[in-house]
Amino acid sequence: MNIILTVLQIVAPVAILGGIGFLWVKAGFEYRMEFITRLCMTLSVPALIFTALMKTEIEPTALRDLTLASMAAYGVLTVIFWGVTSALRLETRTYLSPMIFGNTGNVGLPLAFFAFGQTGLDFAVVVFAVMAVWSFTFGLWVVAGGGSPLRVLKEPLVGATLLGALFLWQGWQTPEWLTRSLELLGQIAIPLMLITLGVAVARLSAGHLGRAVWLSLLRAVVCIGVAAGVGWALGLPPVALAVLVLQVSTPVAVTSYMLAAKYGADSDAVAGMVIASTLLSVVTLPVTLAFLI
């Protein structure tokens, strides 16, 4: 009973804030998705990533091991899901990125924080940073059907990740007044992303929902298995392992839908995967947390 209550206490803030966004839209109130998303992805989340990396107190070896584990996990998932989409004759532009990349920002960061505190958030930011770089390089290239990989340099998330890693490596710190300003800016990211997630789900129209359900189930099983296997193989400590599994197994990111719509992939099919995997995560995430904490 204690473990059930603990898991519910962790999941409840995520569900409540997401529910607020969902009900806000259903009540007919205005919510400027483009503005909020741009605010988060351009300012708030980069500030969160930069300050978390700069101020992290994770031991260098643990940080290195988690970074390598994250890179290995996403590399293995890329190979597996490329094979799955090819074998099932699914359009790569539409299905590959949603299968690989989870909602490590909107869902993963707050869950890791609520489950494991500041240490969990620090670990989660590392996984999120690795995912963001891979998503906005390889993932963007796949969805766009090619193009220059140099476009990644224009993404604030990638710049903040690289700059934060440099500050961490050199042991540098920004002036206190700037650090506090960036921390304050970063603190709005988690609640805004959760509310925006609820808004996005409320506005999505599911496409190919039957296919989306079994693909989401397959994705959840593979992601948990790969993350756990890689983490155990590299000997990650318990909290780092738990955060890796949690982050990699989060439901399909809403950004996958946005990118599909922007670059002309089948956005309805991706929307179906967002909805199916998010609903499925109501069961899978609490169960996963119950085994991890």
Side-chain angles (χ1 to χ4, degrees):
M1 182 62 69
N2 287 338
I3 189 67
I4 295 175
L5 291 176
T6 300
V7 170
L8 289 177
Q9 288 173 351
I10 294 168
V11 176
V14 177
I16 290 172
L17 288 177
I20 289 173
F22 185 90
L23 294 175
W24 185 270
V25 169
K26 292 302 183 182
F29 297 133
E30 180 183 19
Y31 193 93
R32 299 192 177 184
M33 174 77 80
E34 182 180 356
F35 167 72
I36 298 296
T37 301
R38 182 171 297 178
L39 175 66
C40 286
M41 302 301 285
T42 305
L43 292 176
S44 187
V45 175
L48 177 66
I49 292 175
F50 173 73
T51 54
L53 289 174
M54 179 181 67
K55 299 189 68 176
T56 185
E57 296 181 357
I58 302 174
E59 294 182 1
T61 54
L63 181 66
R64 179 203 63 201
D65 291 346
L66 181 58
T67 301
L68 291 175
S70 302
M71 294 170 63
Y74 281 110
V76 172
L77 289 176
T78 300
V79 173
I80 291 175
F81 287 135
W82 192 299
V84 168
T85 54
S86 298
L88 297 176
R89 297 182 179 180
L90 300 174
E91 185 184 25
T92 302
R93 288 183 60 212
T94 296
Y95 286 97
L96 184 57
S97 287
M99 295 290 282
I100 298 171
F101 304 115
N103 211 334
T104 55
N106 299 59
V107 176
L109 293 182
L111 272 181
F113 177 71
F114 295 139
F116 306 105
Q118 186 60 45
T119 300
L121 179 61
D122 289 344
F123 280 133
V125 165
V126 174
V127 182
F128 175 72
V130 171
M131 187 280 301
V133 172
W134 191 229
S135 174
F136 284 103
T137 51
F138 173 78
L140 191 59
W141 178 79
V142 169
V143 176
S148 173
L150 294 180
R151 75 179 72 188
V152 68
L153 299 177
K154 300 178 181 180
E155 296 294 337
L157 283 172
V158 176
T161 300
L162 297 177
L163 190 61
L166 176 63
F167 271 63
L168 174 63
W169 176 46
Q170 293 293 334
W172 296 340
Q173 295 286 324
T174 55
E176 186 65 21
W177 60 268
L178 180 56
T179 301
R180 291 186 177 183
S181 300
L182 291 172
E183 286 179 329
L184 190 61
L185 183 60
Q187 286 170 6
I188 71 174
I190 288 177
L192 275 181
M193 286 191 298
L194 286 175
I195 293 173
T196 302
L197 174 63
V199 172
V201 171
R203 289 178 175 174
L204 290 176
S205 58
H208 313 291
L209 196 54
R211 175 186 290 175
V213 170
W214 66 262
L215 281 178
S216 297
L217 184 58
L218 172 65
R219 178 185 178 276
V221 172
V222 172
C223 286
I224 292 173
V226 167
V230 168
W232 283 326
L234 294 181
L236 292 182
V239 175
L241 173 61
V243 170
L244 178 65
V245 174
L246 182 66
Q247 281 285 62
V248 172
S249 63
T250 50
V252 177
V254 178
T255 52
S256 294
Y257 166 76
M258 296 177 179
L259 290 176
K262 180 177 180 179
Y263 290 103
D266 189 347
S267 57
D268 283 344
V270 179
M273 290 199 64
V274 172
I275 293 173
S277 63
T278 301
L279 292 176
L280 186 64
S281 70
V282 174
V283 176
T284 59
L285 287 179
V287 172
T288 304
L289 278 172
F291 280 98
L292 295 176
I293 61 177

